[in-house]
Amino acid sequence: MSDRLTCTVEEAARLLGISRTLAYRLVQSGQLPSFKVGKRRLVPVAAVEAFIADQLSSASAS
């Protein structure tokens, strides 16, 4: 991603290589932090990176 600080849930799904539906489930459960600006739901790019790091640390602990 460029120098943007946020992305849409759909863009986050593409970055993670998951479906749009799963990305929205992760947002709803709080596993992928997000916030609303007007009607748009945005995910901080740092949150996507942190989610990946958490998944990697969980996988290595298993």
Side-chain angles (χ1 to χ4, degrees):
M1 192 146 269
S2 64
D3 57 349
R4 289 176 43 194
L5 298 175
T6 62
C7 60
T8 65
V9 177
E10 291 84 359
E11 289 169 332
R14 280 195 298 275
L15 287 171
L16 292 168
I18 60 175
S19 70
R20 178 180 169 271
T21 303
L22 179 54
Y24 274 103
R25 279 192 212 139
L26 292 172
V27 165
Q28 279 186 327
S29 71
Q31 291 179 275
L32 189 59
S34 68
F35 59 95
K36 285 188 87 169
V37 176
K39 292 185 178 187
R40 295 188 64 180
R41 178 147 311 267
L42 298 173
V43 177
V45 172
V48 174
E49 293 167 346
F51 179 80
I52 293 168
D54 288 345
Q55 296 305 305
L56 288 172
S57 67
S58 295
S60 65
S62 297

